[in-house]
Amino acid sequence: MNSFKRFIGFALSVVFIVLSCAVPAFAQTLPTYNAVSDFKTSQGGVWRYQCGYNNDGLYGFSDLTYDSKAKLYGNSALGMISVAADDNVTNSPAISLHPGSSSDAVLTFVAPYSGKIEISMANGGVYCPLNGEAQNFDGINFYMCCGSKKAAEFKSVSAKNSAVKERVFDDVYTVSIRKGERIYFIVQPNNETSNDTTHFNPQIEYTSISKTTAVSATVPAYIGKRPTAAPSGSGGSTAQITSSITGSEKDGVYRLSRMFSDLMGDWKYYWFDNVNYHEMIYQDGTWTGGKAASYARIGGGGVSWHPHINGYTVAAFTCPESGTVHIGSEIPVEVNAASADGVIFSVVSENQLLGEQYIVTPQNPSQEFAPIEIDAYKGQVIYFFLYMNAGNSGDSTKVAPYVKYVDYKYVEPYKSNVTKEDDVEPTLRTDVKPIETEEDEFTLNILQILLGCIPSFIIVIAFVLYKIIKRRKKNG
């Protein structure tokens, strides 16, 4: 009988251990992001508060600045974003967006993980309740774009159409996304901006997370009637230069002055310390890297550069196709007259210097960039380097790199006409090694479950020890 009791006790202990392990392991919740709950008065995190404008047929995006007195991002020209305690329709809190006279108001979500997400509106819709028939206003247009793809579109949203007002976003959108990709919630005026304040509260819920490699974000084609321009004061991406180079990406012309934005895409931004490439950080229209006293900088629509004091300021272009390309600058390389001793500008690919190395000094402050022609394979990286001469005091430099395809043809990888057989392309710094196989992901999930069991094991062991001590005292 005692043996049977001990067996039953042992079996119950096993069941208790299994259940206590399973509950914490499988009760772990996946992250959910709510725009109202997550709202911050400084840029950063998963939500960005931006203006959007026509950048030669693509959307250009720039961060808005928070006005602590007005308690909102932006202004009447760029667009305004804030938190509203009441959306005036469902009495729920919401993000309030008002398009500007020169640009659209944009709430941007930056995916922190790869996986599948569900997108919904926590307040049930996108509402423009003050824009009604009695005032004869024309409403707003709302777009939700997942990267370069338009996922949802609601036109002429206003109070004069109650069906649209009440049921403008009542679906849940399921999207596969990768770390670094962006979802844009865009509010644009129909024809004019009177009473265009729009309320909604996006909620992003992860239903699964996968360990895939991060990707560069893409931008949608511009939707609307605004002319091509970066709105004044936006820190926007359209550089104001006179250039003899015309065309865009669809023509095989990749101009940094046209493509410059807050995204890492075909163009990427680094500072190089002679060993590793470090990604710069984008803020207020400028990519910066390093400490404030020695920082590297690329801003001014991609035209205004500044060298790092202990390394190189770098714009890196990744060739999207194989072929023959011309490499150059839309403007002469020009250093600030206040520079102490000038700068050095060069182009490198496959560990080889391409063309000349330009030493631009206050005595010779402007030098024409002689175009370079090479055969490049798909994925080949072309680095544009700016380095100080002896110090970086006053070394602001203007240069506008471009890469232009003149012929498309197959070029064998690592056998371009600038490569030596012994050369190996420098490896960009990665802080986290991505998990690339299903087996690795399975192993990680098992480890997470086992880690989740540790607190339960400790509780069970403590309980068993307590019982043993109690029994010994009783028998003692």
Side-chain angles (χ1 to χ4, degrees), residues 34-40 47 49 66 71-73 80-98 107 120-129 142 165 168-169 185 187 197-203:
N34 180 285
V36 169
S37 302
D38 300 338
F39 186 83
K40 294 181 179 180
W47 298 102
Y49 313 97
Y66 188 76
K71 295 184 178 180
L72 53 78
Y73 282 94
M80 296 177 285
I81 302 178
S82 61
V83 171
D86 186 346
D87 64 10
N88 292 325
V89 175
T90 67
N91 304 121
S92 303
I95 300 296
S96 174
L97 290 87
H98 193 291
L107 178 66
S120 60
M121 291 296 173
N123 66 325
V126 177
Y127 308 125
C128 191
F142 169 85
K165 181 190 75 171
V168 74
F169 200 116
F185 302 90
V187 175
T197 299
T198 305
H199 296 146
F200 55 88
N201 182 16
Q203 183 159 295

Side-chain angles (χ1 to χ4, degrees), residues 335 338-343 359-363 388-393 395:
V335 72
S339 173
D341 54 12
V343 297
I359 302 176
V360 190
T361 65
Q363 294 74 33
M388 66 180 187
N389 200 349
N392 71 345
S393 176
D395 277 355

Side-chain angles (χ1 to χ4, degrees), residues 81-336:
I81 302 178
S82 61
V83 171
D86 186 346
D87 64 10
N88 292 325
V89 175
T90 67
N91 304 121
S92 303
I95 300 296
S96 174
L97 290 87
H98 193 291
S101 58
S102 60
S103 57
D104 305 338
V106 184
L107 178 66
T108 302
F109 176 80
V110 184
Y113 309 103
S114 299
K116 286 188 177 180
I117 58 173
E118 291 184 347
I119 308 168
S120 60
M121 291 296 173
N123 66 325
V126 177
Y127 308 125
C128 191
L130 302 180
N131 198 306
E133 190 171 10
Q135 298 87 359
N136 199 31
F137 297 135
D138 61 358
I140 60 96
N141 298 321
F142 169 85
Y143 305 98
M144 183 181 77
C145 297
C146 301
S148 61
K149 298 179 180 179
K150 185 166 62 177
E153 173 180 354
F154 309 114
K155 290 192 172 183
S156 300
V157 179
S158 70
K160 65 184 178 183
N161 186 338
S162 60
V164 172
K165 181 190 75 171
E166 296 295 340
R167 297 189 60 197
V168 74
F169 200 116
D170 55 0
D171 293 324
V172 175
Y173 290 80
T174 300
V175 176
S176 292
I177 199 166
R178 297 183 72 180
K179 182 177 179 179
E181 288 187 315
R182 301 184 180 204
I183 298 172
Y184 304 97
F185 302 90
I186 300 170
V187 175
Q188 185 182 84
N190 205 352
N191 287 304
E192 53 87 35
T193 61
S194 299
N195 275 18
D196 278 355
T197 299
T198 305
H199 296 146
F200 55 88
N201 182 16
Q203 183 159 295
I204 313 289
E205 182 177 355
Y206 275 87
T207 58
S208 67
I209 290 179
S210 57
K211 303 296 177 179
T212 54
T213 308
V215 297
S216 299
T218 56
V219 298
Y222 183 74
I223 309 165
K225 306 171 184 177
R226 298 188 194 272
T228 294
S232 176
S234 70
S237 65
T238 303
Q240 303 301 314
I241 60 173
T242 301
S243 172
S244 60
I245 304 299
T246 58
S248 62
E249 300 90 275
K250 64 182 180 181
D251 307 307
V253 183
Y254 298 83
R255 298 152 53 196
L256 181 57
S257 66
R258 202 197 81 83
M259 300 175 67
F260 183 82
S261 74
D262 65 336
L263 306 179
M264 294 270 193
D266 291 321
W267 290 96
K268 295 181 173 62
Y269 311 93
Y270 304 101
W271 69 275
F272 180 58
D273 62 5
N274 290 304
V275 178
N276 294 312
Y277 289 84
H278 306 269
E279 287 189 357
M280 291 193 195
I281 296 172
Y282 183 88
Q283 186 172 11
D284 298 330
T286 301
W287 288 93
T288 58
K291 295 181 179 179
S294 60
Y295 65 97
R297 181 185 72 223
I298 301 177
V303 171
S304 179
W305 294 42
H306 195 284
H308 194 278
I309 197 168
N310 291 316
Y312 298 82
T313 296
V314 184
F317 177 78
T318 303
C319 296
E321 301 292 343
S322 294
T324 301
V325 297
H326 285 177
I327 303 165
S329 174
E330 298 180 72
I331 58 175
V333 184
E334 182 177 322
V335 72
N336 188 345

